[in-house]
Amino acid sequence: MFEYTSINQYQLALTQGKTTCIEAVRHYLSEIENSKQLNAFVHVFADEAIQKAAALDEKRKAGDTIGKLHGVVIAIKDVICYKDHPLTAASGILKKFTSLYSATAIENLLQEEAIIIGVCNCDEFAMGSTNENSVYGKVLNAIDETRVPGGSSGGSAVAVQAGLCMVSLGSDTGGSVRQPADFCGIVGLKPTYGRISRYGLIAYASSFDQIGVFAGNVDDASKVLEIIAGADEYDSTVSQKPVETYSAALKETKKFRFAYFKETLEHPSLDNEIANGINKLIEQIRNDGHEVTALSFEYLDYIVPAYYILTTAEASSNLSRYDGVRYGYRSSKPSIDLTEFYKHNRSEGFGKEVKRRIMLGTFVLSTGYYDAYFAKAQKVRRKLVEKTELVFSEFDLILMPTSPSVAFKIGEKTDDPIAMYLADIYTVFANLTGIPGISLPLFKHSNGMPFGIQIMAKQFNELSLLQASQQLMEFKK
Ligand code: GLN
């Protein structure tokens, strides 16, 4: 029986001849088959994955040098281009669309001999916090199937949670990697804005979007990050900074200066057990020789509104390209002119939440409202960036809950979009300021559900973020 613990252990077993890539792929294909009710995958590339595994086994047995992700079985979110494979953003408007090229992150994975086993379900165009807004239907949390896995990268999170692949990719515009990781009890990493190329990532809100990694442990997340990060001539917003070999430096046990914002732990929306768990953790971190300081944060109630104004504005512009002319869904209703043709295609092709956001975004950008909403939200963003710079001039890391509650019950928040948006209170900060964040699965609630702690670092300081994460994982209950 195939058992997986980490990329390191797996690759050791491969080189010692104790397992093969084929065995790994077969194992995951059968697990995916047995977990169909979770609805985590929307496409599985069974034959292709087996062929690729066979080729890798041959290569390794022939004594050739092997790639850094040799044989690693990876699933990807349905918003990341993989050439000649289906890509739909879980939307009716992209039904039957096939990628014409691969995202740079995917090219990098393939170069290092990873095996992409399939495409994971998500919220339509990555808009949502529960993975209930998908043309393929909702995804279930494998720990409690009456609960959501979180979103928008719910399928990718469940794929790792339920052992349907080794690691997976998601995207995080406002928490879509960290929050589902929190709800599913796994590691979810959102790197600095501009650390990983966005070439080939379907745009939701371009100044926020970033590809992220789900894994069972910090070492696996680090290994994937160091392969997919780095300069790319196809994305002008990606950084030229060299990428460190994070995984090689994880064992260093430095002492860090942590800060946390008092208001985040006193917020009325925060579950008591989560607050208590984090307060105890703070003591443990102190006892371990790190510094932990409480700071005050005056902007907590402004971050969710600022996030939803700016991202819907960007989304309304980004999603204007889906008009049914060159590709995507086209209505069969007759149209008298081009405007009506667009209306039919877009009204029928997009789901409810996406339409709500396009309308909201169009509104906040419209004449007469632009200054009151969009310009003001930009000012809030600037204030947050300044605050962040100030904090990181004295501290290495910020501690925060990942989510105010454990995974919601299915349907619990679907009729109340505002309540759903407000639950993003702790994750949108990192996207508004472009800093890296990670959710670590340290706790278990008395209701049986997992929850995590979030840590954030200065832009491009993924190294400290991951080193501290490795140490914090020792406190896992
Ligand atoms: N829940 C947030 C939203 O709906 C996050 C989405 C994301 O990170 N893609 O916008």
Side-chain angles (χ1 to χ4, degrees):
M1 167 71 184
F2 180 82
E3 266 184 50
Y4 180 76
T5 47
S6 67
I7 296 178
N8 261 347
Q9 290 299 319
Y10 167 58
Q11 291 188 333
L12 188 69
L14 284 176
T15 48
Q16 291 174 341
K18 290 185 182 150
T19 189
T20 60
C21 297
I22 290 251
E23 191 188 6
V25 167
R26 288 223 165 94
H27 164 80
Y28 289 115
L29 290 173
S30 89
E31 293 298 303
I32 293 172
E33 193 55 38
N34 295 337
S35 313
K36 273 212 155 131
Q37 82 289 358
L38 300 174
N39 203 19
F41 279 83
V42 296
H43 299 286
V44 180
F45 312 131
D47 295 342
E48 197 184 301
I50 287 177
Q51 274 166 26
K52 175 93 192 257
L56 290 175
D57 285 336
E58 294 261 309
K59 183 179 174 187
R60 194 181 58 257
K61 284 175 190 155
D64 292 359
T65 46
I66 64 169
K68 295 198 180 87
L69 296 178
H70 180 90
V72 175
V73 179
I74 296 186
I76 60 174
K77 182 177 181 179
D78 192 19
V79 290
I80 305 175
C81 299
Y82 180 18
K83 192 174 192 277
D84 298 329
H85 293 76
L87 174 75
T88 70
S91 179
I93 212 151
L94 279 174
K95 237 186 210 161
K96 302 201 185 115
F97 184 78
T98 300
S99 290
L100 302 173
Y101 58 87
S102 287
T104 301
I106 297 295
E107 290 286 358
N108 293 353
L109 291 178
L110 296 173
Q111 187 102 39
E112 293 298 338
E113 303 176 352
I115 301 172
I116 297 175
I117 196 159
V119 172
C120 290
N121 205 345
C122 59
D123 280 303
E124 185 177 359
F125 283 100
M127 297 177 185
S129 309
T130 57
N131 213 146
E132 291 168 296
N133 315 321
S134 162
V135 75
Y136 304 105
K138 55 186 182 292
V139 177
L140 311 183
N141 192 313
I143 295 179
D144 174 350
E145 295 186 11
T146 67
R147 291 180 191 265
V148 302
S152 63
S153 318
S156 301
V158 171
V160 171
Q161 177 197 37
L164 314 181
C165 61
M166 296 173 186
V167 286
S168 66
L169 295 190
S171 66
D172 191 313
T173 303
S176 282
V177 168
R178 289 159 290 150
Q179 184 256 23
D182 177 87
F183 281 12
C184 290
I186 59 173
V187 173
L189 168 67
K190 179 204 93 78
T192 307
Y193 180 79
R195 183 66 297 184
I196 300 171
S197 169
R198 285 181 298 113
Y199 180 71
L201 169 67
I202 290 186
Y204 158 15
S206 313
S207 76
F208 294 74
D209 299 340
Q210 190 61 199
I211 289 177
V213 185
F214 291 101
N217 60 69
V218 176
D219 190 52
D220 281 7
S222 310
K223 284 210 162 64
V224 174
L225 176 65
E226 65 205 30
I227 299 304
I228 61 179
D232 179 20
E233 58 178 311
Y234 295 124
D235 175 3
S236 62
T237 60
V238 81
S239 171
Q240 304 293 316
K241 278 187 209 293
V243 178
E244 288 147 295
T245 317
Y246 311 110
S247 60
L250 278 187
K251 291 215 171 68
E252 269 177 50
T253 52
K254 279 200 209 139
K255 299 299 173 200
F256 291 101
R257 296 166 304 171
F258 288 88
Y260 70 93
F261 300 135
K262 286 198 301 286
E263 291 78 357
T264 57
L265 293 184
E266 288 160 4
H267 199 267
S269 69
L270 183 64
D271 177 288
N272 270 338
E273 268 189 52
I274 298 184
N276 292 341
I278 295 179
N279 279 318
K280 279 193 200 124
L281 177 74
I282 288 174
E283 280 317 305
Q284 283 179 300
I285 298 176
R286 279 201 185 111
N287 294 339
D288 202 36
H290 306 273
E291 204 180 282
V292 189
T293 309
L295 304 178
S296 68
F297 181 60
E298 55 278 40
Y299 306 118
L300 193 58
D301 290 328
Y302 300 100
I303 58 180
V304 171
Y307 168 81
Y308 276 94
I309 289 170
L310 297 172
T311 52
T312 55
E314 292 189 25
S316 72
S317 161
N318 273 326
L319 271 61
S320 63
R321 73 189 68 172
Y322 305 104
D323 55 15
V325 175
R326 278 174 297 172
Y327 56 86
Y329 176 81
R330 186 177 288 184
S331 169
S332 54
K333 278 194 197 143
S335 306
I336 48 160
D337 58 14
L338 192 59
T339 309
E340 202 179 75
F341 173 75
Y342 289 159
K343 269 191 200 161
H344 287 154
N345 296 340
R346 290 168 62 84
S347 315
E348 292 169 26
F350 287 130
K352 191 169 160 193
E353 181 61 23
V354 172
K355 283 191 266 196
R356 180 176 6 247
R357 294 195 190 198
I358 293 172
M359 285 192 278
L360 202 59
T362 310
F363 174 75
V364 299
L365 287 174
S366 58
T367 325
Y369 295 102
Y370 181 91
D371 288 331
Y373 297 107
F374 188 75
K376 203 170 236 165
Q378 291 282 38
K379 287 180 192 159
V380 173
R381 191 175 199 184
R382 161 100 330 247
K383 290 256 177 227
L384 292 171
V385 169
E386 285 165 4
K387 173 81 185 180
T388 309
E389 280 165 4
L390 204 65
V391 172
F392 288 124
S393 67
E394 283 182 60
F395 300 93
D396 307 304
L397 300 156
I398 299 175
L399 278 168
M400 214 184 265
T402 308
S403 176
S405 71
V406 297
F408 325 133
K409 287 279 185 187
I410 290 166
E412 187 181 324
K413 292 197 196 289
T414 38
D415 295 332
D416 189 353
I418 304 284
M420 184 88 93
Y421 298 169
L422 286 172
D424 294 339
I425 183 165
Y426 301 124
T427 48
V428 297
F429 177 72
N431 306 79
L432 280 157
T433 55
I435 61 175
I438 192 166
S439 181
L440 303 169
L442 295 190
F443 309 96
K444 196 167 178 177
H445 199 275
S446 59
N447 63 15
M449 295 309 291
F451 64 94
I453 177 79
Q454 177 180 205
I455 49 177
M456 288 169 269
K458 193 178 165 158
Q459 287 201 336
F460 300 102
N461 196 0
E462 273 80 3
L463 187 62
S464 294
L465 186 74
L466 294 164
Q467 286 175 332
S469 298
Q470 185 78 330
Q471 295 186 45
L472 258 53
M473 287 292 271
E474 296 297 316
F475 298 129
K476 194 171 165 128
K477 299 271 176 313

